[in-house]
Amino acid sequence: MSVTKIDRAARIIARCREIASHTEISGETTRRFLTPPMHAVHKLIHDWMVAAGMTVHVDAIGNVRGLYPANTTKSPRLIIGSHLDTVPNAGAFDGILGVVLGIAVIEELQGKHLPFSIEVIGFSEEEGVRFSTPFLGSLAVVGNLYAETLARKDRDGVSLTEAIRAYGLDPAQLPAAVLSDESFAYLEFHIEQGPILESEELSLGVVEALVGQTRMQFVFDGQANHAGTTPMHLRRDAMAAAAEWIVAVEDYASSHKGLVATVGKVEVSPGAGNVIAGRVTASLDVRHAEDSVRNTAVAALTAAAKSLSAKRTVQVTFVTQLEQRAVPLDPSLTDMLHTAAARVGFTCRRMTSGAGHDAMILAPSVPSSMLFLRSPRGLSHHPDESVLPQDVEAALATALEFLTLLGDDKSKLKDGHA
Ligand code: HGY
Ligand code: MN
Ligand code: MN
């Protein structure tokens, strides 16, 4: 029996909130790659997928993967996915909404099978919190997870390979995680995580491209010393150097259109009020739709770190943790999403994503598309992140119409080896 439209949206939202309760830190939602609360999340996702008529497995990087068969044996495959992990003290919808909506699409088929199969993937890691390297789940699926990444260690000294084993998975099976070569299209539902759709009073947006991003770590090394006895002119203060640089980062980005640059994480040593900081470790996240603008910004901000430190006799070193170019999504799938939304009564805004998503990792391997849902108050990466039931319903109705258009497009199905 098909639930009513608002009921089905309410159930999707309730499921996301249930998933959000599985956290490393009670009272907030923090769920890093393959940490213990992910077991309960896997169980919920698994059970919902099985109930929807899917066969389910967990691959070697911890992606939960449900397959809904086509109406023919040899068939192309549509991938629907998003991520299961969160940033610290997150909301309940970033990532997980895309997985729960994918399962809801299958439920709405009510046993009807299409000329293509559908694989729903809950990616184990997209945010890059535990190992400072994002997109681990989708990188494994496109075969780009390399030994250097597997050797990376988390803040407790646990390597990615050891984390995989500790969760009960086998790193030797990683090659089996690669997408089926029958995959012909990828669709990701995601909250916009910004203010544009709300400002235009729209439910949905289609993503034409995702901005490129560079993530780095800077280490400022000065001289720890006594805060009371060390005259100002004799200091080598790592905190003062980093602070001046952080303001320079903000000034530079504010004066370049479309550029964003963020220092979101700072660690100070020894970290006592009566000790001049000896070492400050700071993150840097730089994003822009044009790679040349982003690369110029990274060079300028690195030079600023060096010059501002030198005048204080503070050493600065830095490492690049992610270099992700801007990625266009598939124009014909994006047009098809736009048409599907219009056919079910919704205006879809074409937009660029300032946030990174698994779609940017999938796009070079399989034609990819994204459907954004409005973020009330433009808020995300925050416990008050939310979605509106009517926007969830709009996304679900659009997705079902998209499946119809996809099934009618013989050229796409042929590309998928139908
Ligand atoms: O940081 C991002 O762009 C996304 O939320 N992973
Ligand atoms: Mn996020
Ligand atoms: Mn996300």
Side-chain angles (χ1 to χ4, degrees), residues 50-81:
V50 167
M54 304 168 93
T55 51
V56 187
H57 78 282
V58 176
D59 69 19
I61 195 70
N63 299 323
V64 184
R65 303 175 69 160
L67 182 61
Y68 186 76
N71 56 18
T72 57
T73 44
K74 184 108 182 74
S75 69
R77 183 175 300 185
L78 166 66
I79 312 292
I80 298 177

Side-chain angles (χ1 to χ4, degrees), residues 212 252 259 288-299 323 325-326:
Y252 183 96
L259 181 71
H288 195 275
E290 288 170 51
D291 293 338
S292 58
V293 174
R294 173 171 53 88
N295 293 330
T296 304
V298 167
E323 183 69 56
R325 59 180 179 72

